[in-house]
Every structure is written in C-alpha cells, then in structure tokens.
Amino acid sequence: MYRFLKKLCKIKIIRFIDLYLALILTNKKKELLTFAISLLSKYISEGNICLPLSKLHLDINIINKKNKKFIENIKKINKINNWKEILFSYKDLVSDGQKNTPIILINNCLYLHKIWEEENIIFKNFFYNNFYCQKPEKIIKILKFLYKKQDFIQKGAICSALTHRISIITGSPGTGKTSMISKLIFAFIKFFDKHLKINVVATTGKAAIRLTQSINIYFKNISNEVFNKIQKKSIPTKATTIHNLLKINLYSRNIKFKKLNIDLLIIDESSMIDFNLMSIILNILPQKTQLILLGDEYQLPSIEYGNLFKDLCYFKKFSFTRKYLLWLNSIVKYSYKNKNIKNFFFRNFITVLKHNFRYDLNSGIHQLAINIKNGNIRNIEKIFLSKKYNDIEYFNILNINHYKKMISSFIKGYTKYFFYLKNNNIHDENILYKFSNYQVICAIKYGLFGTKNINFIIEQELLNNKIIKMNLKNNSWYIGKPIIITKNDHLLNVFNGDIGITFFDIKDKKFKIKFFSFNNKQNIVLIDNLPSYEIAYAITVHKSQGSEFKNVALVLPDKFYSILTRELIYTAITRTQKKITIYSNKNIFYQSIKSKIQRFSNLKNKINNYN
C-alpha cells in the first residue's frame, strides 16, 4: 500500500507532503488510515475545511492497464462502503470529538482536529448571535440625521448592527460599504452615548488607508456641535490591518493572543478572512464587543482554507424572524416581495446592499459584473456583441499578432503616466494617484500571459521607446518604476499589495520608494530596506484585491487553469472605476465564468440543522 500511495503522489492525486503528514500521525501498517489522512490533507490544501466520507474514493482514468497491482488497489479502495467503521477502529487517532484525537470524524466528514475546533468556535459564536431588542425612538432620531433620503436597506444594516453582537453587510463594489462604516461609527457613538473603544480594520494595508481617509473626511464634515466631548473621543482616527490589530508580523512565533479591550470591531474586506483567522478574532473578543463584517461574497475568498464569508451569506435567502421584522418595521418600513420565504434568525443580522452608487444602471461594467456573478453567459455575449457600452472592451487573443497589439496597448496606457512624470515634480502628491489611472491585472504569475513575463516585456518596451531611462549602476532602478509589496512589514508600515513609486532623492542621492500612507500622507522607504517586492506594471488579481483603479486591463492565459474561476473574473472586473479592457481567448473567458470555486465546509449544514 505504501508503494501505491507513492504512486498516487507521482500522478498528483495526493502530494508527498500529504503522505508525510499521514505518516507522522500514523504508520505504514495502518494503510487505509494513511490513505484517508493523505487525501484529507490534499483536500485542505485545495481550500476545503474537511473531507466528506463520500469523497474517499479514487476517480482515476488508468491509461497504463499493465500495472495490475495499482489497479487492484484502486478497486479495493473504491469498494469500501464502511469507512466510518474502519476509521473509528483507530481509537487512538480518530474520534467524534469527545476525545482529544488528531483526526475528527463527525457528520460523515473527516477533519484535522485544529480545523474542526476552528469551525466549532465560529459556529457557536454565530449560532448564539441573538437579537437584543432596543427602544426604537433613539435609533429613529439617529437615522433621520444620517439619511435625508429614504434608504431602508442601509438603515436596516444599522438597526441590525445595533441589536446583534455580530452583523454582516455584503454588497458589490460601489454599493456604499466604505461610506457605511462611517455611518455605523456615528450610530454607535450616538446610540450608546458613552466613551467607546472602536477599532476599524481591513485585511490589507491599502484598504486600511482608504478606510482612514473615508472616516476622517466624513467626520470632518460633521458639525462639532453634533458630538459632546466624550463622544468625540470615541471617533477612530485611523484604520489598521487585522494582522496589526492582532500583533502578527513576519517575526511572530508561537503567538498567544490576548483578549481585546474594545467595544466595537468593524472589519472590511471580510471575504478575505479564513476560518483560522476568524476563529482567533472570535476567541479574543469579549462578549461585550460587537463585531461588524463587511465584504463581497462573490469576490475571491481567502487564500487559506474555507470560504467563510460566502458560507455565512448563504442565509440571506431566508426571511427575518417575525419578532425582528415587527421591531424593524417600527423604525424602517422593510418589506419583502416574496412573503413565502422561510424565516430564520440568522437572516436578522445579514444585510445585502443592492443600490450601486459607482456605476449607473446603463454602465457596461455594472451589467457585466452582475452577469458574471450570476454565471449568465448568454447575457455576457449580448453585452459584448451590442458594443453600446463605452466602459468595456474585449479583445479576442488568438495569435502572436494579437499578443503584440495587447502589449502595445499596455505601453500606451503607461506612457501617459510617464508623460505626467516628465512634466511634473516627482514629489507631486498626485504621482501615486496618476499611476492608479491604469493597471494591468493578470490571472496568473508565470507563463506568456503571466505577470512576470508581461512586466519584463513592458519594461523592455518602455526602455526601447526611450520612455524610461535605466542606469545599470543603480541595479535597474529608475524614476517612476512601480513596485508592489509581497510581504507585510509593520516596522516600515508597508503591507502586502501596497504599490509604491520610485523617485530619486537629490539630497541623499539615493533611490527611494513612496507609498500611500494614512491621512493623505506618503510613506518613504529606502530601496535597501524594502521587504519582498515585485515590479507592478502587471499584478495578479489576488494582489489587486482591496484596490481600485480608474482603468483596468485584464489578461487571461491562453490555456485553462483551475485558478480561472468566476470569482477571479468578477474580482478583476470590479477593480475598475471607469473602464475594463479584457484580453483573452473567448473560450477561456467563458470557461472561467462557468467554473466556480467549490470549497466544502460543514458550517452551513450545522447552522441549517438547527433551522
């Protein structure tokens, strides 16, 4: 059997690291357990939380039928229909959670103990997230101040947040999530009318900077007479990253998290939070602390296992409970089109923002994004064929000439940026904004259509066209060179995904990088001090999360890869504010939209079982 498992590694059904993990926990003699743990490990590496017993089989197309022993082992495994009994026979290693074992088997799903615990922490916190009835009069007064026009959905979000320990707000880019954060802060300060410790965090540094700017602008425009001295002290002046809040950095080892002494925690870009991080957050939040999660369930999930935010937003399909709906209607006239929807308490603390403030209804980007997230290929084809939208453009890349034209368009896009540099002082505060006017976003990192290659070609073409001047003595650094940080460095205050621009400091006679920082300031970092980085003419879709650009060029590879999914395309499309240009073979583009990220967890089932 050990040789059989090694063979599975060679044909990439499992990885060698999966097999080694299994052998650490068990031994070669426990063959079926070794196989099950190996497959579980592989399943987790693909983003799943657990392995359903129904997946403990091998669906392999055997080309070389001469290897009879290998085929016999496959048939032997696929014939097993009593996996539960077999696995529970290894009592020292597998249990239903009543014992402390490395492997947990519960609800016909196999878990690593650590991940099972994380799922349980999340389940318990959300399942006991009850509605606390508050007197409506004060809330009505607050909402009248915040909203001059009727916006029952945003008002409902504030009502939900004020009456639940945890609340969820989901919506596409442009639906007002960022501006809502300021209104939520205002509502909490006015409602509780005492000094509150409020923390606002995001999953990326760039998102935290954007939040800081938004909050400061909002409260700057509010009259000083609105708040008393105690209330003013509650207004947060700076957002930060989750990792900064938790004191996690590159040098952290064996972290022991302390309870957070805060009253309200607001987390933006919550779709990027994995099960592990969420379980840590919930563990260190005191019962008094209220938590608000904002995000877009249709965007790419976290790189780590699970698709937590989407799992939680699944319950938006239900109706409010009667008790909560009656209370809500005393404040906001909240009505449903379909009154036959089953009600469920979980729906009480989920708000779905629908109105888009960034794109109007006639926007091609808006229409494209809606149809991508719904997987409506026919409508997408109609959008491209109609050619009535000025904010979307599609180039079907079929040959090398098309590829060259694509590169030429990138050069044209970045030439405008370098022209601005040439005619303006590099210390101009608008330099960083000017670079964000145009961004190439790729689905993959390597290959002809990957960021590595496209960055190299763009830089060479800019050099050949004498748009940039590179001095070899300075190790290929030049004025205006864009870079993207790939690892957080809290000491330098630069974070994964931050884009910086190179300039030459005349006083020090050194090249330095400027980044966006908090309160419209710029963070200057010496090149020698930079953490891991890459050139940033082209960045990956994953790196673009949390960022916005005026114009985006999306590049897909000429082959289909498993990374190409509906969520990836949707995330890329919604990075743009004004125009999206897509460069892809149409078959690859449509195949990507058909491919959805499937990550299995038991969280939805656990919650549903109590409905």
Side-chain angles (χ1 to χ4, degrees):
M1 179 64 101
Y2 179 65
R3 286 183 180 178
F4 170 71
L5 293 173
K6 286 183 77 175
K7 178 72 174 175
L8 290 180
C9 293
K10 287 178 181 177
I11 62 173
K12 297 182 179 179
I13 299 300
I14 57 175
R15 304 165 303 165
F16 279 105
I17 195 170
D18 302 320
L19 178 55
Y20 295 151
L21 171 66
L23 292 173
I24 289 169
L25 296 175
T26 180
N27 57 58
K28 293 178 186 178
K29 291 180 181 179
K30 298 174 181 178
E31 297 173 342
L32 292 177
L33 181 60
T34 304
F35 166 73
I37 296 173
S38 298
L39 204 59
L40 169 61
S41 175
K42 179 64 164 44
Y43 221 63
I44 292 167
S45 75
E46 292 170 347
N48 299 287
I49 296 299
C50 53
L51 173 65
L53 293 187
S54 59
K55 299 289 184 182
L56 273 171
H57 64 85
L58 294 168
D59 186 16
I60 304 173
N61 183 21
I62 306 298
I63 298 170
N64 183 8
K65 294 185 178 180
K66 291 180 181 179
N67 195 337
K68 291 182 180 180
K69 185 69 176 174
F70 184 66
I71 295 168
E72 283 173 14
N73 277 319
I74 291 172
K75 288 179 179 178
K76 178 184 171 183
I77 284 170
N78 289 345
K79 281 180 182 178
I80 296 172
N81 55 17
N82 62 333
W83 272 111
K84 200 170 185 177
E85 186 182 325
I86 291 167
L87 292 168
F88 274 138
S89 68
Y90 302 105
K91 294 179 182 179
D92 55 332
L93 294 169
V94 183
S95 74
D96 61 358
Q98 299 296 318
K99 283 173 62 181
N100 190 13
T101 55
I103 305 298
I104 301 295
L105 175 53
I106 193 165
N107 297 329
N108 290 316
C109 289
L110 207 59
Y111 290 85
L112 288 179
H113 189 279
K114 173 183 174 290
I115 298 176
W116 172 73
E117 276 192 330
E118 290 167 1
E119 190 179 76
N120 276 344
I121 290 165
I122 293 165
F123 167 73
K124 287 173 184 175
N125 275 273
F126 279 91
F127 187 75
Y128 295 107
N129 186 29
N130 297 317
F131 163 57
Y132 295 100
C133 189
Q134 304 281 11
K135 291 181 180 180
E137 294 79 17
K138 202 171 184 179
I139 298 175
I140 291 169
K141 191 177 178 181
I142 291 166
L143 293 178
K144 275 185 179 178
F145 179 89
L146 288 173
Y147 296 96
K148 305 305 176 191
K149 294 180 180 179
Q150 178 70 341
D151 191 330
F152 70 91
I153 292 180
Q154 285 206 10
K155 286 180 178 179
I158 291 172
C159 290
S160 174
L162 288 170
T163 55
H164 292 87
R165 181 173 176 251
I166 307 172
S167 55
I168 296 167
I169 300 170
T170 179
S172 304
T175 51
K177 295 190 298 295
T178 303
S179 62
M180 263 225 74
I181 289 172
S182 299
K183 291 174 182 175
L184 286 161
I185 293 166
F186 179 97
F188 268 78
I189 291 170
K190 295 301 287 182
F191 182 79
F192 290 101
D193 194 19
K194 63 178 183 179
H195 181 253
L196 296 176
K197 291 181 180 177
I198 300 173
N199 280 55
V200 182
V201 299
T203 47
T204 62
K206 53 200 167 181
I209 289 168
R210 193 175 70 245
L211 279 175
T212 300
Q213 292 169 343
S214 174
I215 292 165
N216 288 336
I217 290 168
Y218 180 84
F219 284 101
K220 191 178 180 181
N221 292 328
I222 291 178
S223 171
N224 287 329
E225 297 172 2
V226 173
F227 297 110
N228 59 40
K229 287 183 180 179
I230 294 171
Q231 290 172 342
K232 281 179 183 177
K233 288 179 181 178
S234 299
I235 301 169
T237 56
K238 182 179 175 181
T240 186
T241 63
I242 293 177
H243 289 79
N244 199 16
L245 177 75
L246 301 178
K247 302 291 187 288
I248 301 173
N249 58 49
L250 286 171
Y251 316 106
S252 300
R253 293 288 184 274
N254 302 318
I255 306 166
K256 290 184 179 179
F257 297 102
K258 294 180 180 178
K259 286 279 184 183
L260 294 173
N261 183 25
I262 55 177
D263 298 295
L264 173 63
L265 177 61
I266 301 174
I267 305 178
D268 195 19
E269 302 287 350
S270 294
S271 64
M272 296 168 72
I273 299 177
D274 57 61
F275 272 67
N276 173 251
L277 190 54
M278 181 58 76
S279 67
I280 292 169
I281 291 166
L282 293 171
N283 251 346
I284 62 175
L285 284 183
Q287 276 299 312
K288 68 163 189 171
T289 306
Q290 287 178 263
L291 173 65
I292 303 172
L293 304 172
L294 299 99
D296 183 354
E297 63 187 289
Y298 296 101
Q299 283 192 27
L300 282 167
S302 61
I303 294 172
E304 300 300 326
Y305 48 80
N307 196 349
L308 178 60
F309 196 71
K310 192 168 185 69
D311 283 350
L312 296 171
C313 289
Y314 163 82
F315 297 95
K316 70 181 184 183
K317 71 177 188 177
F318 292 100
S319 172
F320 297 136
T321 59
R322 180 174 171 76
K323 181 183 176 182
Y324 180 68
L325 188 57
L326 285 170
W327 176 85
L328 187 60
N329 274 324
S330 69
I331 301 170
V332 183
K333 289 185 179 179
Y334 211 108
S335 60
Y336 280 104
K337 291 180 181 178
N338 186 353
K339 294 182 180 179
N340 296 320
I341 302 171
K342 189 176 180 181
N343 61 44
F344 188 34
F345 84 97
F346 214 91
R347 177 65 177 88
N348 294 348
F349 52 86
I350 300 174
T351 303
V352 183
L353 301 179
K354 294 178 181 178
H355 179 73
N356 203 295
F357 299 94
R358 182 187 299 172
Y359 312 116
D360 60 43
L361 292 174
N362 296 318
S363 161
I365 296 167
H366 184 53
Q367 293 300 322
L368 189 60
I370 289 171
N371 284 290
I372 286 171
K373 74 180 182 183
N374 293 330
N376 196 326
I377 302 292
R378 188 173 292 179
N379 280 358
I380 293 167
E381 287 175 333
K382 286 179 182 177
I383 289 168
F384 290 140
L385 288 170
S386 70
K387 295 184 179 179
K388 69 176 183 179
Y389 299 108
N390 295 322
D391 57 350
I392 55 172
E393 203 169 359
Y394 194 101
F395 289 96
N396 195 15
I397 306 298
L398 298 172
N399 53 49
I400 192 66
N401 288 329
H402 292 163
Y403 186 88
K404 287 178 180 177
K405 285 181 181 179
M406 176 184 78
I407 296 296
S408 295
S409 70
F410 298 163
I411 303 305
K412 187 178 178 181
Y414 285 119
T415 299
K416 293 176 183 177
Y417 156 70
F418 280 103
F419 182 78
Y420 182 87
L421 275 183
K422 189 177 179 180
N423 292 282
N424 290 273
N425 190 321
I426 188 66
H427 298 291
D428 184 344
E429 290 181 1
N430 292 319
I431 293 295
L432 286 162
Y433 289 106
K434 280 293 173 183
F435 182 76
S436 66
N437 275 344
Y438 184 79
Q439 183 65 60
V440 178
I441 297 178
C442 301
I444 58 174
K445 192 172 181 178
Y446 300 101
L448 189 64
F449 292 84
T451 55
K452 287 277 186 184
N453 185 59
I454 288 177
N455 273 320
F456 175 78
I457 294 172
I458 289 173
E459 195 169 59
Q460 288 301 308
E461 287 297 311
L462 290 171
L463 189 63
N464 294 340
N465 292 327
K466 297 181 180 179
I467 296 166
I468 60 173
K469 292 180 181 179
M470 196 181 293
N471 189 337
L472 295 176
K473 290 180 181 179
N474 294 306
N475 295 319
S476 302
W477 288 100
Y478 52 89
I479 293 170
K481 180 176 181 175
I483 65 160
I484 184 166
I485 298 298
T486 56
K487 282 187 180 178
N488 294 337
D489 192 318
H490 295 278
L491 295 174
L492 293 172
N493 204 29
V494 291
F495 304 95
N496 185 9
D498 285 357
I499 292 176
I501 301 298
T502 309
F503 73 98
F504 188 74
D505 192 322
I506 298 170
K507 289 181 181 178
D508 294 345
K509 294 185 178 179
K510 289 181 179 179
F511 278 103
K512 296 179 181 179
I513 311 291
K514 59 170 65 180
F515 298 90
F516 277 123
S517 189
F518 299 100
N519 300 326
N520 285 324
K521 294 179 181 177
Q522 293 184 354
N523 183 21
I524 308 297
V525 179
L526 280 167
I527 283 170
D528 293 340
N529 294 339
L530 283 171
S532 179
Y533 67 88
E534 294 170 356
I535 193 167
Y537 293 112
I539 62 175
T540 62
V541 179
H542 285 85
K543 290 292 181 197
S544 74
Q545 275 188 283
S547 296
E548 293 174 356
F549 309 96
K550 284 189 178 177
N551 300 281
V552 167
L554 171 61
V555 181
L556 298 187
D558 56 346
K559 295 177 184 176
F560 183 78
Y561 297 93
S562 59
I563 196 173
L564 299 175
T565 61
R566 183 183 301 178
E567 291 82 358
L568 181 132
I569 303 295
Y570 172 80
T571 302
I573 297 289
T574 54
R575 295 310 89 207
T576 188
Q577 296 172 330
K578 285 191 172 182
K579 185 177 180 180
I580 180 75
T581 307
I582 302 164
Y583 298 91
S584 168
N585 179 301
K586 278 195 175 178
N587 292 332
I588 301 295
F589 182 74
Y590 291 131
Q591 192 177 352
S592 301
I593 293 168
K594 289 176 184 176
S595 175
K596 287 181 71 178
I597 291 175
Q598 301 288 344
R599 291 184 173 184
F600 189 82
S601 85
N602 240 331
L603 187 62
K604 282 193 297 186
N605 294 335
K606 280 183 180 179
I607 295 167
N608 253 332
N609 287 340
Y610 287 88
N611 186 6

